[in-house]
Every structure is written in structure tokens, then in C-alpha cells.
Amino acid sequence: MAVSTVAPDPDVSVVVIVYNDEERLPTAVGSVLEQTLRNVEVIIADDCSTDGSYEVAQKLAAANPGKVRAIRLPENSGGCGEPRNQGVKVARGRYVMFLDSDDTLERNACRNMIEAADRTGADLVSGLCVRVHTDSRHDKRILWYPWLYRGTRTLDSVAELPDLFVFDTLSTNKCYRRDFLLANDLTFPRGIHYEDLLFSAQAYLAAEKITLIPNTVYYWNVVQKTAAKSISNRRNEIRNFADRVEIHRRIDAILDRHGQDELKLRKDIKFLKHDLVLYLRELPFLDNDYRHGFAELARGYVQDFPEAAYAELDRVHAICAQLLLREDWTDLMPAIDTLINRNKISAPLVEHDGRIYWTDRYLDDPEMRAVLDVTTLGYHAKPVEAMFLRNQLTEYTARGGDLVLAGEIVNPLHTIAPDATLAAELEFRARRRSLQTFHFPVPTPRHEGDAIAWRAEVPLARRLRPLGIIDDVWDVRLHLTVDGKRTTSRLTVGTVDLEHARDLPVRPRLTRLMADRLEAQVSAKGHLAFRLIQQGQAARTGRAAVERNLHGRPARAAKGAYRKLRAVRRDLNSGDRKLQVYERMLTRLPVRKGTVVFESHLGKQYSDSPRAVYEELKRRGAPITAIWSYAGERPTGFPDDVELVRRWSWRYLRALAQAEYWIDNQGYPLRLTKRPETTYIQTWHGSALKRMGFDEPTYRMQSEQEQRAYQQALDRFDHFVVRSEHDVRTLARAYRIPEHKLLRTGYPRNDALVRTREGAEPSPEARRIAERLGIDPGRRVLLYAPTFRAHPDGRVRDFEFPFDVERFAARYGDDFTLLVRAHYLNRLTLPPSVAGRVINVSAEPDITPLMLLADGLITDYSSVMFDYALLQRPIVFYAHDWEEYAEDTRGTYFDLLTEAPGPVPRTEEELFSVLDDLSGVHTRHEARLKEFVDKYGEYDRGDAAAQIVDRFFGPAGEAR
């Protein structure tokens, strides 16, 4: 008796859509057939291709009966949505996935997604997508919103994770329960682009469970260097933007029906920050008809966005949005340039009432004036050598082998004076590393209105001699020298016509077989660039022969050896290798007696207690070799007579390995062990108000291994300086410093403060700083030094005044000079209106001379309060956000509001009221200030540096 067998339904149906892609289709289908989950079917949905795609699909179906089916739409649908709909209609799998013919699935994608769906009961499973730039040199790969996929999680609603709804709008990195799609009638829209956005929004909102997995599931292959752009990249077509807006309107309607106001706001913010910017980038290169049509579409959609969406935009972004709505192309084009090139100053700017504005066109409109105010960006505070200026190309013509270029460099706020001495040159530099850079003189740059105009004839054919292989792309820069100071700009193309002279003759050093023309092009940032190309069959044949030789066995061996050398160099300079060499070799070198390595604030400054100890040693003429570490590319503010080593360099590691003493105030790299022969003196950098070390909840929540590693780093301290028993109860306990390691000397940095309180003259350095800053000797000096500010996620925040600094200057400018000292991690910009009355001293490496200059201190919760109190001068504690500061997860060691040795205003009016009677502040709080010093600075007696030097380097008489 014959037994009838029925093939089980597939676990998953993968719908592969194709249109005119016969070459890549087999690879896409192959990535499904090779899945580790075997019970998978492929449905190839051909969108009525005009090439052989459908024939290839039929062959694949014939070669894989029961695994591959091919269907064909009767007419082209014009998008990706309808082929997917038709594929779903014939799918038999419990789950459905989508794949484009030019992409591939990761080998375990189906298994990982189906297992997650079955385990959690999710309607929709989403995994990590990877964008593969297939035409880049090394198949550059970019993870698609990876923070969404750091671990497995299941959501009962997409509202639990708005970023998923807003950012990951792909349909292809997901697996859908087929019954879920059918029950909710989920289909892609037909005849409109960006169908993924709408389909994904509908699926997210309908799903009762969504599971995210951290596994890579989809490879999105991207080809950028192609004449035929993908639909999503055709942003110079007005229909493209019209479709995007229409899709967003449909999503808005769905969100409104679901009452998802928060998701709608997040989506609006993303539209302004991302979707709109994609099209703004193209506007400088498009004609006025397109611009007008685009502006009308944008205005009709975004003008009704809530204020909360616009509030999330940064300054330049908001300027672009508002200028677009007004179709102000004159001011918008430079703003777009800055939006694309974030450090570029693109507009002449204008100063009005002590504020800096992008343009003066709308200053009579209070709302636009607020948008156009760019004072906080700090353009006005930059010297010309620190400016990246817009350089608009105004002429591009060819004369034989010569190229004529001309342009205008913006001159913001007339920073470049009319009588300045100007010189300029053009530089052609290969984008990839090359042995060659070519320079061409630019004669007589000159002032012309608000710009610096220039013009140059560049003999490219005669002078530019590329190699012709590794240097195929060349960028152009203009170096402008202003009174000896140089600023560098790129040539912004805009609407200058490159077509009439796009190709220029060139003679590579490796003969014209490699290239014979330079093709002008526009870089991704909108700047002029050139690419080497070949014209004519002979040239192409010659280059092909050279390319074949480049890939032959000898060439492969040479390139392999070169890559190995580069890999060895990278390895030698990697952190892990440096640690390995440090441990196994450098720490076995002999200790250099008398060598002291100093470091302050992780190498950022020559300051604080390490500086005070060093200067005491220098004053005594102690026989030591002083080495200071510095962070960054160039050291600034360090003395000339010390050896400097860059942090984490090989010289730095060797210096630490062989030093007799380490002296710093924060911590040498945590993973560097200290040999027993080295003495580590940790001077620390301030008494604590906020909980520190293992008293912080974040440290207590760490794993045992992490806590052990941190404790090992702390155990390197041989001695820990404290300035009071408060430090013993807080810092020493929080960092688990045993009693025998404590140095009850006080802080060496505070010696100068104690001596000044006792009648000594202020240091010569303080007087020099006062002269350099131009402090009016007739005014009293206030120092404003708030604590560090960061976002809740730990990102550094720009400094924001908690009071109106312009109002302060107007009210107290005749009486006080306010020195503002932001934390070294925060960026501060002052408006021009307060010049001379409020001075930014954040760049001063050492705060001690500033404290000596100040007649009073305004702070909030900074540890500077403990130091400045030693001077017995007035302190005002502006605790405008005390609850937020004190009640966060870290907490404080004491209640500042009850213990502060000075007034604690909570509002701007209260602050100004206190400052009206600063002398009275000192009188009323003098006794409490002395109690505060006795409690928190009892060991600061003015001789801390001397005590430390006496103990470790011998008494003064012996040190000489």
C-alpha cells in the first residue's frame, strides 16, 4: 500500500524581491539556501524586470524544487512594496522575512530569529543589520543603530523603546509571524517610495510582543560610486522628498489613532535632525525651481511641528530649518555648509547689543533673533588661526592644461583687519597617504566686501605629477596667512559649473597607462576634489595590464609584506602590546635613582600639588630628574627645564617603569602596575562633598572582578595626602586607603593660600596673570568656579550660566571683575557684551593664582570651596539645583545647605542681593568660615610641600 507523504510547511518563507538584478540575485538566494535552519523556502518576486532576472529566478527554482519558487508581477510596480506583498500572499512558512536581491542574510539569521520568536511568543523579531560598503577598499562595515541590539530583550509595546520605532525603520532585518501579518492586514503601500517606514510603523504598533536579538542577521550592501543611484539616494528628485513626506503623514495619522503622542514627538525630532538634513545637503547644487518646490513641501509639513521638536535642534540646525521655511537662500546656503562641516564658520556674522548673530536680516523678530543667536558657539572668541572658514568657489575654468580657480573666504566679524598682511597658496594633497603634496602660489589675496577674494592660475598639467596608483583622489586646500598666522580652508563648490572643464590632462609618474585625466568632482562635504581617470581604449587596456600585474604573485607578496609591517607597527603601538612590554620588559630595567615622574589631572595641566612639590624641589636644588607627562598633541603651560613625555607613549611607559617616584593628583593609567622599588605619592585633587570611590553606588554594583581590578589600581598608592580628618573619614575610606599610607600634611597646592592669609604678598605669577588679563586694579575681583556638569548619560555638557551673565555685568561691571573658571571638561563661551567685566579664565592651567587674585568666591558644590576658605575671604554658594545634585544616585557626605560658611542663594535675585553686600557677607560668616577651615583643612598649615620633600628627599640642608 502506498504511503502518502506531505512535506511540512516551512519554518520561514524568505521573500526575495528583484528588479533588473540578474547578476546578484543568485548570491542573495544562495544566502537563504545556505542557512543553518534547513526548513526554509525562498520566494523570488520579480517586479517585471526587463533583463534576465526572471529567467535566472526560474532556473534557481528548477535547480531547487520545493525550496525555491519564482513569481512575476504583470507590470512594474515602481517600488519594493508590491513584490513583497505578492510574496507574502503565496508564502507557506510560519514566519516571513524579506530580502533584497543585492543583499544577503547572515548564515544563522533564520535560526536565531525563529528560535527567539518561538521562545518568547513574539509577533516580530528584529536583529542587527550591517551596512557593507562593497566599493570601499576594505568592505567598510557600519552597524545599524547597534545600541538597540546590545542584548536580547522582549517588549510588550514599542512605546517601551521609542528609539526602535524612530530609528530602525527597516523591514528586512526582521522576522514576522505570518498569522500576525494576515490578521492585521499588514501590507506595504504600492506606488510610493519609503514603504519600509510605513510598514515598520504599522508592524511595531500592532505587535503585542517584540523581541530584539543582538545577533547580526542582515547584510545591507551599499554601492556609493555608481551613476545609477538607489531610490533612497535620489534626493535630487522632488518626488523623492514628496514621497517621504507623504509616508510620514500616513504614519502621523496612525500614531494619532493610537494616541502615541510621545512616539510622534520623537519621530518629528528625527525628521528634523535626519530626514530633512539628507535633502538640505543637496540644495546648494540644485536650481531655484527645485529649491522652491522642496521648501513648499517642507513648510507644509514641518511648520506644524510642536515647539518641543524644534527645541531639540542644535543652533545651526535650527537656523537651517527656519531659513528654509522663509526660503532665504542667501543665508541658508552658508548655514548648510556649516551643518555639513560642523567646525566651519560660513557666514560673516554680525554683532548686535553684545550678541553674535548669523545674519542681521531678522533682528526685529524676537523669535528669529533667538534662533539666529550663535554667541554660545564661540566664533567671536577664536583667533584667525583656529578658524575653519568657508571658501566659496566663484570661478572654475580651464586653459589648456592650466586651471583657473577663484573664490571668496568669509571674514567673520571682520577678524581679518583691512590692513592685515595677507599671503596664500593652494595645496593639492592625495586623500590617501602619498609621498607628494603640490603647492601653487595665490597672488595678492585682497579684501572685497565681507570676504577675502583670491584668484590663481594653476598649471596642473605641468606641475601635478601623481604616482597614479595609490593617489587616485586629490583634495584642494587654500592656506591663507594673516599677519603670520595661518588658517586653512577647503573650496566649497556650490553651483559653480564643473562640467565644461571636468576633465583635465595629467601625466602620472607611472606613465599615462595609469591615468591621463583629472576629473573634477564634489566631495561628500561639498568641497572640490579631483579623481584620476583614463580616457580611450589604449589607456584603459594599459591600466588593466598594470592592475593585473599589481595582483600577480610578486605584487601580492610585496603587498603582503607591507601589510605585515603595518600590522606589526599597529600591534606595537596598541594598548595591549604596550602593557605587555611594560610588564615583561620595561619594569625589569634598573630604577633610575632620583627620577620623579609628575602628572596633574591626567596630563592635562602643569598645576596643583604635583606642581607645588616640584617647585619646592627645584627651589632647594634637589638632585632629581624631573619628568612631566602631558596629554594631547602639544604640551602647553609646562616649564622649559623639565623633560616632557606624552601620556601613553613609549617614553612615558619607560619613564614610569624606571622612576624612583610617581607623584600625581588623580591616577596614572589603572592597568599599569607599580614595581616595589617605586614610591607612589598620591596628592589627590580635593576634599569631597559628593560620595566617591566605593561609596558610589556604581562601583558597588560592579562585578567582583571589576572591583578587584579597581582595588589593585588603588593599592599602588604608597602614600595618600589628606588635609583633614574629613578626608580620612571620606576619601581614605572610599578608596580603602589604610592608615599607615596617610600623609597628614595638607595639600601642597594650598601652601600659597595659607601664606597669603598670614600676610605674605601674592605670588608674582598672580600679578602677571592680572596684567595679562587686563584686570582693572580699581575693581574688586570675584571668581566664579562651579563644579563639573554632565548629561545624565555621562556625556560632557557645554557650560551654561545659571544666572544672566549680561545682567550681572550691567549691574556690577563698575564694581567687580568676574573671573569665570569652568571645569576643564566643560566648554565656556562669553558674549562680547561682557568683555572686560567678565573674563573666561578656564584655560589657565592652575587655579591657585586665580584664587589669590579673588576678593570673593562664587561656587556651587565644587571642592574649590575647601581650598578658598583658607584665605578667609567671602564665599557665596549658589545652590540653584541642590536637590538635583544632592539627591542623585551618588549622594553627598554632608548637607551643604546647613554647613556652608557663607550665604546659599537659590535664585538669581537672591544671588544678586547677596553680592550687593559682599563686605557684609564676610562679617556675618567670619566665625563659621574659621570653623569650616578647622574642620575641613586642619592640616593645611602652609608647609605641606616642605614636609613631603623633607620626608622623601631629605631635609632642606641635605637636598642641596
Side-chain angles (χ1 to χ4, degrees):
M1 180 178 178
V3 179
S4 174
T5 60
V6 179
D9 286 342
D11 287 318
V12 60
S13 299
V14 180
V15 179
V16 181
I17 63 169
V18 61
Y19 177 71
N20 286 356
D21 198 17
E22 58 183 319
E23 291 186 5
R24 291 180 293 190
L25 178 60
T27 302
V29 172
S31 75
V32 184
L33 297 176
E34 294 165 5
Q35 288 289 301
T36 54
L37 181 71
R38 304 310 302 168
N39 190 23
V40 176
E41 76 163 349
V42 182
I43 299 168
I44 305 174
D46 177 70
D47 198 11
C48 199
S49 296
T50 58
D51 69 350
S53 295
Y54 185 60
E55 288 74 17
V56 171
Q58 289 178 309
K59 289 179 182 178
L60 289 168
N64 298 277
K67 297 283 286 183
V68 178
R69 288 185 285 158
I71 63 173
R72 187 181 194 189
L73 274 65
E75 60 182 10
N76 180 254
S77 67
C80 301
E82 189 59 20
R84 290 173 182 157
N85 292 337
Q86 296 303 317
V88 173
K89 282 184 179 179
V90 301
R92 296 182 295 114
R94 293 188 299 125
Y95 295 92
V96 175
M97 295 171 61
F98 302 110
L99 174 64
D100 292 347
S101 62
D102 52 348
D103 300 330
T104 57
L105 293 181
E106 194 277 334
R107 192 164 180 265
N108 299 294
C110 292
R111 178 179 299 281
N112 288 333
M113 299 182 93
I114 299 303
E115 287 180 352
D118 287 342
R119 185 176 65 254
T120 64
D123 295 319
L124 183 161
V125 176
S126 189
L128 184 63
C129 172
V130 178
R131 282 171 58 100
V132 182
H133 292 258
T134 56
D135 56 350
S136 65
R137 289 178 62 204
H138 303 293
D139 280 352
K140 181 175 71 174
R141 299 184 172 217
I142 299 175
L143 305 185
W144 188 252
Y145 301 114
W147 77 83
L148 297 171
Y149 298 99
R150 288 183 180 141
T152 300
R153 63 184 299 185
T154 298
L155 311 172
D156 293 326
S157 167
V158 73
E160 296 176 27
L161 187 60
D163 279 358
L164 180 65
F165 182 90
V166 170
F167 291 104
D168 190 358
T169 55
L170 300 177
S171 65
T172 48
N173 61 331
K174 297 171 177 60
C175 175
Y176 311 86
R177 196 179 296 274
R178 185 164 64 94
D179 291 345
F180 160 72
L181 294 180
L182 298 177
N184 290 277
D185 195 24
L186 291 176
T187 59
F188 290 87
R190 177 172 179 163
I192 189 170
H193 302 323
Y194 303 107
E195 62 286 319
D196 266 22
L197 275 68
L198 182 58
F199 180 84
S200 296
Q202 293 172 316
Y204 280 142
L205 291 168
E208 295 183 2
K209 276 191 178 179
I210 301 168
T211 294
L212 309 181
I213 61 174
N215 312 82
T216 297
V217 298
Y218 197 87
Y219 293 113
W220 177 2
N221 296 320
V222 180
V223 181
Q224 291 184 319
K225 301 169 187 174
T226 176
K229 293 185 177 180
S230 66
I231 290 172
S232 60
N233 284 325
R234 296 174 196 161
R235 291 187 285 271
N236 60 338
E237 299 175 6
I238 199 67
R239 184 205 160 185
N240 185 287
F241 184 61
D243 282 359
R244 188 183 288 262
V245 169
E246 175 59 26
I247 286 291
H248 274 272
R249 289 188 185 278
R250 296 184 191 184
I251 296 172
D252 293 344
I254 298 170
L255 290 171
D256 185 57
R257 289 199 299 272
H258 282 78
Q260 292 286 357
D261 294 340
E262 179 62 24
L263 285 181
K264 169 66 165 58
L265 175 60
R266 298 288 191 95
K267 188 192 72 66
D268 289 348
I269 293 169
K270 193 247 187 177
F271 186 90
L272 291 172
K273 285 188 170 183
H274 174 73
D275 299 58
L276 194 62
V277 172
L278 293 175
Y279 296 87
L280 287 176
R281 296 171 67 99
E282 306 291 333
L283 283 187
F285 311 104
L286 300 170
D287 59 34
N288 287 332
D289 287 342
Y290 177 94
R291 292 176 182 177
H292 177 65
F294 173 76
E296 280 194 325
L297 284 168
R299 182 166 49 246
Y301 183 53
V302 306
Q303 67 183 358
D304 295 327
F305 279 14
E307 285 299 318
Y310 286 99
E312 292 293 318
L313 300 182
D314 63 39
R315 181 62 56 201
V316 174
H317 203 150
I319 289 171
C320 287
Q322 292 300 328
L323 292 176
L324 173 66
L325 296 181
R326 289 161 174 79
E327 295 196 45
D328 180 353
W329 310 121
T330 301
D331 293 314
L332 176 58
M333 294 304 122
I336 292 173
D337 201 0
T338 294
L339 187 66
I340 299 170
N341 301 276
R342 282 297 179 162
N343 295 320
K344 185 183 286 189
I345 307 176
S346 298
L349 308 177
V350 61
E351 182 178 342
H352 181 73
D353 290 340
R355 307 291 295 180
I356 306 299
Y357 297 93
W358 189 260
T359 177
D360 60 0
R361 289 179 193 266
Y362 307 97
L363 297 186
D364 56 347
D365 179 343
E367 290 185 6
M368 274 299 284
R369 188 166 63 244
V371 170
L372 296 169
D373 188 337
V374 293
T375 308
T376 57
L377 298 183
Y379 295 147
H380 60 283
K382 289 186 176 184
V384 68
E385 64 270 21
M387 290 181 171
F388 176 26
L389 300 174
R390 173 177 166 90
N391 189 349
Q392 176 69 51
L393 194 63
T394 57
E395 182 181 352
Y396 176 92
T397 56
R399 297 175 181 172
D402 294 345
L403 180 66
V404 178
L405 297 173
E408 293 181 345
I409 303 170
V410 71
N411 184 12
L413 300 170
H414 304 288
T415 301
I416 304 173
D419 58 351
T421 302
L422 304 180
E425 67 172 3
L426 285 166
E427 176 189 86
F428 284 68
R429 181 190 300 174
R431 190 169 296 175
R432 286 167 62 183
R433 289 186 179 180
S434 172
L435 301 177
Q436 303 181 103
T437 300
F438 297 92
H439 296 90
F440 302 93
V442 175
T444 60
R446 66 197 183 280
H447 281 80
E448 202 167 276
D450 287 332
I452 305 299
W454 60 272
R455 190 174 186 273
E457 294 189 10
V458 182
L460 283 185
R462 288 173 285 129
R463 291 276 311 280
L464 184 67
R465 300 294 307 279
L467 292 175
I469 299 179
I470 62 172
D471 51 358
D472 56 336
V473 178
W474 290 78
D475 293 312
V476 188
R477 294 169 173 81
L478 186 138
H479 301 298
L480 177 68
T481 303
V482 181
D483 291 334
K485 304 291 186 180
R486 191 171 88 163
T487 180
T488 299
S489 61
R490 305 287 296 274
L491 309 190
T492 298
V493 175
T495 56
V496 170
D497 182 15
L498 304 181
E499 293 298 329
H500 72 283
R502 181 171 287 275
D503 299 337
L504 301 162
V506 71
R507 292 185 302 147
R509 296 186 186 277
L510 295 179
T511 80
R512 288 192 172 94
L513 290 176
M514 297 309 304
D516 59 0
R517 313 290 290 176
L518 275 175
E519 179 185 58
Q521 58 182 218
V522 183
S523 74
K525 298 286 189 179
H527 300 134
L528 179 66
F530 293 91
R531 179 182 292 276
L532 289 171
I533 60 171
Q534 304 81 38
Q535 286 189 345
Q537 185 60 41
R540 287 193 290 273
T541 301
R543 184 176 180 93
V546 174
E547 293 283 359
R548 281 195 300 273
N549 288 331
L550 287 174
H551 296 292
R553 183 176 297 175
R556 287 200 303 272
K559 286 188 286 188
Y562 174 69
R563 290 193 188 104
K564 286 180 182 178
L565 286 173
R566 289 187 64 185
V568 167
R569 183 177 179 181
R570 282 196 303 269
D571 179 65
L572 285 174
N573 285 286
S574 69
D576 288 340
R577 180 63 66 191
K578 284 182 174 179
L579 285 169
Q580 188 180 71
V581 173
Y582 175 86
E583 296 290 345
R584 297 182 181 179
M585 298 176 60
L586 297 181
T587 54
R588 286 165 172 73
L589 295 173
V591 171
R592 295 165 59 195
K593 289 293 184 182
T595 298
V596 187
V597 178
F598 295 91
E599 185 170 288
S600 179
H601 295 301
L602 308 179
K604 293 181 174 68
Q605 299 173 350
Y606 171 65
S607 65
D608 213 82
S609 292
R611 172 181 177 175
V613 174
Y614 163 72
E615 290 180 351
E616 176 66 15
L617 286 165
K618 183 179 177 181
R619 185 185 67 79
R620 297 186 182 191
I624 65 164
T625 299
I627 300 174
W628 275 85
S629 87
Y630 69 92
E633 292 301 317
R634 295 184 182 87
T636 56
F638 290 85
D640 296 329
D641 58 348
V642 297
E643 181 182 348
L644 296 175
V645 293
R646 185 163 55 85
R647 208 168 192 266
W648 267 114
S649 66
W650 283 109
R651 290 179 59 218
Y652 175 79
L653 296 176
R654 179 167 180 171
L656 287 176
Q658 293 190 272
E660 185 178 7
Y661 291 95
W662 293 0
I663 300 178
D664 93 310
N665 66 351
Q666 199 155 337
Y668 291 102
L670 298 181
R671 295 169 66 189
L672 294 181
T673 59
K674 180 188 72 66
R675 61 198 298 175
E677 305 96 317
T678 300
T679 299
Y680 189 169
I681 304 171
Q682 174 55 256
T683 66
W684 205 240
H685 53 277
S687 298
L689 169 62
K690 205 158 194 177
R691 294 188 180 275
M692 306 289 287
F694 286 105
D695 287 347
E696 291 186 48
T698 52
Y699 283 99
R700 293 199 298 269
M701 292 166 59
Q702 287 181 341
S703 66
E704 255 186 61
Q705 181 179 359
E706 290 172 321
Q707 290 195 29
R708 188 163 50 250
Y710 187 53
Q711 186 62 60
Q712 288 173 349
L714 297 173
D715 288 343
R716 296 177 303 172
F717 302 161
D718 294 300
H719 303 280
F720 188 86
V721 175
V722 294
R723 60 196 301 259
S724 68
E725 288 305 304
H726 168 75
D727 289 355
V728 176
R729 293 188 299 270
T730 56
L731 292 173
R733 187 191 68 184
Y735 292 115
R736 299 175 182 174
I737 310 294
E739 173 66 29
H740 71 273
K741 291 187 176 183
L742 299 180
L743 290 178
R744 289 176 168 84
T745 61
Y747 284 164
R749 73 183 187 193
N750 288 341
D751 290 347
L753 301 177
V754 175
R755 288 196 295 266
T756 300
R757 181 190 69 198
E758 294 174 350
E761 287 293 320
S763 68
E765 182 181 8
R767 291 195 297 270
R768 286 195 299 271
I769 290 176
E771 292 174 4
R772 174 162 51 81
L773 296 176
I775 295 175
D776 187 338
R779 298 183 197 153
R780 289 177 292 173
V781 175
L782 284 177
L783 174 63
Y784 176 46
T787 192
F788 172 70
R789 290 296 194 274
H791 293 284
D793 60 4
R795 289 181 296 115
V796 176
R797 205 161 86 184
D798 282 350
F799 179 88
E800 295 179 5
F801 277 97
F803 57 88
D804 187 333
V805 68
E806 291 178 289
R807 186 178 171 214
F808 175 94
R811 182 165 176 168
Y812 299 108
D814 293 333
D815 301 319
F816 294 121
T817 297
L818 183 67
L819 307 181
V820 185
R821 168 81 170 194
H823 191 281
Y824 65 83
L825 292 176
N826 291 131
R827 185 172 67 89
L828 164 67
T829 300
L830 294 173
S833 58
V834 302
R837 295 169 293 175
V838 183
I839 302 174
N840 180 7
V841 293
S842 304
E844 296 295 328
D846 199 342
I847 194 174
T848 299
L850 302 176
M851 287 193 282
L852 295 173
L853 286 174
D855 298 292
L857 171 71
I858 306 171
T859 187
D860 43 18
Y861 326 112
S862 170
S863 64
V864 71
M865 71 175 80
F866 300 104
D867 302 323
Y868 190 80
L870 295 169
L871 289 167
Q872 296 288 293
R873 297 173 186 172
I875 306 178
V876 178
F877 298 85
Y878 184 35
H880 62 97
D881 58 350
W882 170 252
E883 287 77 15
E884 177 187 343
Y885 185 86
E887 295 174 9
D888 73 359
T889 55
R890 280 178 66 177
T892 60
Y893 287 117
F894 63 87
D895 183 358
L896 179 66
L897 300 190
T898 60
E899 289 201 37
V904 188
R906 306 295 303 278
T907 67
E908 179 178 302
E909 287 304 325
E910 291 177 2
L911 172 64
F912 288 175
S913 178
V914 167
L915 296 179
D916 286 339
D917 185 21
L918 194 62
S919 299
V921 169
H922 182 260
T923 302
R924 289 190 297 273
H925 295 274
E926 186 175 10
R928 291 195 67 180
L929 195 55
K930 290 178 179 177
E931 292 174 5
F932 191 82
V933 170
D934 290 342
K935 184 174 183 179
Y936 297 108
E938 59 192 296
Y939 301 130
D940 281 322
R941 304 185 185 96
D943 62 348
Q947 286 192 63
I948 290 172
V949 171
D950 283 348
R951 175 166 176 174
F952 297 102
F953 300 92
E958 297 179 21
R960 293 191 184 92

